């Protein structure tokens, strides 16, 4: 099973707005009031490479209209070097956004160093300023604020970081509903590897919470298995509830740093149990816009929507543009 790319890809490219002039990628998605909302990561300059989050909306899931201003920008100390890679769910009538928060330098990505002429002492300084990313949580408690998208920058409530200081975390999603009365997340603690953790490679873990802030019961759900996952795996969009189980789209990174998308099915009542996992990736870098960009050979899924029974997967391509590909919800 392979996803089918939309003909009008990329659906979003860098624009003339200064805060999003060099890259727009890795979009979260949620569906509200007949509208697909895309919350995407935007970068406006290579030197500091600070990310903000922009918003675009669509009725058909393919053609998007964007806002001229970011809807979420670094404000707090723990995110002062950027807010990246959002993932969103509507959970109990609240929109929750998990995102990567950088208190230390985030970029530019190493792949860009030669092109930007970064070497020697400058390279050493940039690398020494790098921080350890954490996951932060923000919410929009009153969904009717979405009727006035321009008000969003004032409406998000920040809940601070939900992963521990010093633990490298990027890929974290919440389930869109409680399971057995508990909130559930999937995350990918990069450094939980070795015999103490039961995995040699960064893997996808599950955890539970009563308040979305304190998480416990951490357990491995999936480890890298295939060649296209040889370096690590991490979650994509929040799991999608289907009759057969929670459909999880995730990314796998191969030894030569290609990012692909894969799919697995988790048990509805105990999502720590994998029911099935497709051996082949469902999307891999093929088109120019996926092969050539600021980081080459990347498809990075972060958003999903089900429109007229068809699955829409929104992804960042080559850390440069936003794209969409569609598939059959019934892939298992
Ligand atoms: C990951 C994250 C993503 C990025 C991907 C490819 O580690 O940094 O934001 O899209 O690498 O560069």
């Amino acid at each position: 099973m392979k996803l089918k790319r939309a003909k009008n890809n990329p659906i979003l490219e860098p624009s003339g707005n200064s805060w999003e002039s060099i890259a727009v990628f890795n979009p979260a998605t949620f569906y509200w009031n007949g509208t697909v909302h895309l919350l995407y990561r935007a970068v406006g300059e290579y030197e500091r490479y600070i990310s903000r989050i922009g918003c675009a909306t669509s009725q058909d899931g393919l053609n998007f209209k964007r806002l001229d201003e970011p809807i979420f920008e670094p404000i707090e100390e723990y995110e002062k070097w950027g807010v990246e890679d959002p993932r969103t769910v509507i959970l109990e009538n609240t929109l929750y956004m998990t995102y990567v928060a950088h208190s230390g330098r985030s970029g530019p990505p190493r792949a860009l160093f030669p092109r930007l002429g970064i070497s020697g002492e400058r390279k050493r300084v940039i690398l020494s300023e790098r921080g350890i990313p954490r996951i932060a949580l923000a919410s929009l408690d009153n969904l009717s604020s979405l009727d006035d998208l321009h008000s969003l920058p004032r409406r998000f409530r920040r809940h601070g970081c939900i992963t521990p200081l010093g633990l490298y975390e990027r890929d974290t999603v919440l389930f869109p509903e409680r399971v057995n009365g508990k909130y559930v997340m999937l995350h990918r603690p990069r450094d939980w590897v070795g015999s103490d953790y039961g995995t040699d490679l960064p893997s996808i873990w599950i955890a539970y919470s009563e308040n979305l802030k304190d998480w416990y019961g951490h357990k491995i759900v999936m480890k890298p298995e295939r060649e296209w996952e040889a370096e690590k795996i991490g979650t994509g969009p929040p799991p999608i509830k289907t009759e057969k189980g929670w459909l999880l789209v995730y990314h796998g990174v191969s030894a030569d740093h290609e990012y692909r998308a894969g799919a697995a099915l988790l048990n509805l009542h105990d999502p720590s149990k994998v029911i099935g996992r497709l051996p082949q990736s469902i999307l891999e870098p093929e088109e120019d816009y996926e092969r050539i960009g600021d980081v080459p050979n990347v498809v990075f899924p972060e958003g999903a929507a089900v429109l007229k029974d068809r699955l829409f997967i929104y992804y960042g391509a080559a850390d440069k543009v936003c794209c969409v590909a569609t598939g059959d919800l019934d892939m298992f």
Side-chain angles (χ1 to χ4, degrees):
M1 216 297 289
K2 293 281 175 199
L3 297 180
K4 195 165 168 275
R5 290 171 181 80
K7 286 202 186 74
N8 57 333
N9 271 349
I11 52 170
L12 226 57
E13 294 184 77
S15 85
N17 299 322
S18 60
W19 57 277
E20 56 173 0
S21 60
I22 67 156
V24 293
F25 56 117
N26 298 3
T29 320
F30 64 92
Y31 188 71
W32 168 255
N33 227 354
T35 305
V36 177
H37 294 70
L38 207 70
L39 301 195
Y40 58 94
R41 172 176 171 191
V43 185
E45 42 71 41
Y46 284 120
E47 181 59 33
R48 286 162 61 80
Y49 204 78
I50 288 183
S51 293
R52 295 173 171 75
I53 295 173
C55 176
T57 54
S58 167
Q59 308 307 313
D60 63 4
L62 297 170
N63 296 286
F64 282 85
K65 233 172 54 196
R66 69 219 272 172
L67 259 59
D68 273 333
E69 300 296 331
I71 55 138
F72 199 82
E73 297 191 76
I75 292 178
E76 300 292 337
E77 188 64 23
Y78 59 79
E79 60 189 17
K80 68 172 188 235
W81 277 93
V83 294
E84 300 178 355
D85 296 3
R87 268 93 166 182
T88 49
V89 283
I90 293 179
L91 166 59
E92 296 169 349
N93 285 320
T94 298
L95 176 74
Y96 287 99
M97 176 170 79
T98 49
Y99 61 97
V100 179
H102 280 280
S103 61
R105 191 190 257 277
S106 146
R110 264 171 191 266
L112 274 175
F113 283 11
R115 213 209 297 166
L116 300 177
I118 298 173
S119 61
E121 179 58 10
R122 194 156 155 243
K123 178 172 170 185
R124 200 195 56 74
V125 170
I126 288 180
L127 292 178
S128 72
E129 284 175 352
R130 286 259 159 105
I132 298 178
R134 296 171 77 185
I135 297 298
L137 179 70
S139 65
L140 198 63
D141 303 330
N142 184 354
L143 287 176
S144 61
S145 327
L146 292 167
D147 295 341
D148 176 14
L149 294 174
H150 295 283
S151 74
L152 290 183
R154 301 189 304 277
R155 304 265 184 212
F156 273 102
R157 187 151 68 93
R158 283 171 165 79
H159 302 270
C161 290
I162 57 168
T163 57
L165 186 66
L167 181 64
Y168 189 111
E169 290 268 19
R170 296 196 61 102
D171 303 302
T172 300
V173 291
L174 299 177
F175 280 63
E177 60 184 66
R178 292 188 200 224
V179 182
N180 302 320
K182 292 173 189 153
Y183 296 115
V184 187
M185 71 149 67
L186 295 175
H187 66 130
R188 205 279 312 282
R190 188 194 66 180
D191 299 327
W192 284 7
V193 290
S195 52
D196 286 354
Y197 296 101
T199 177
D200 293 334
L201 293 164
S203 300
I204 296 176
W205 295 63
I206 198 166
Y208 307 91
S209 176
E210 317 298 342
N211 59 10
L212 293 171
K213 186 102 187 124
D214 307 298
W215 294 88
Y216 58 87
H218 299 271
K219 187 176 157 194
I220 292 180
V221 178
M222 291 187 354
K223 304 181 197 180
E225 278 178 2
R226 308 279 166 180
E227 222 165 283
W228 60 272
E229 307 169 332
E231 206 175 277
K232 57 188 173 187
I233 54 172
T235 55
I240 304 147
K241 196 174 193 183
T242 73
E243 274 167 22
K244 294 182 191 156
W246 293 103
L247 175 60
L248 177 67
V249 174
Y250 65 98
H251 68 258
V253 187
S254 63
D256 53 357
H257 304 294
E258 292 217 0
Y259 280 71
R260 294 176 173 77
L265 199 64
L266 311 179
N267 184 293
L268 275 184
H269 309 290
D270 179 0
S272 72
K273 296 204 170 95
V274 178
I275 303 172
R277 183 165 167 187
L278 297 178
Q280 310 289 347
S281 65
I282 57 169
L283 191 70
E284 58 186 61
E286 273 168 15
E287 298 292 333
D288 279 356
Y289 53 79
E290 297 161 343
R291 291 222 159 266
I292 304 161
D294 286 346
V295 180
N297 303 316
V298 175
V299 303
F300 198 81
E302 280 198 29
V306 179
L307 301 174
K308 296 188 185 137
D309 286 336
R310 198 144 175 88
L311 176 66
F312 284 58
I313 294 294
Y314 294 89
Y315 63 99
D319 284 14
K320 194 69 173 173
V321 293
C322 293
C323 296
V324 63
T326 65
D328 200 346
L329 247 193
D330 215 15
M331 63 175 88
F332 285 93

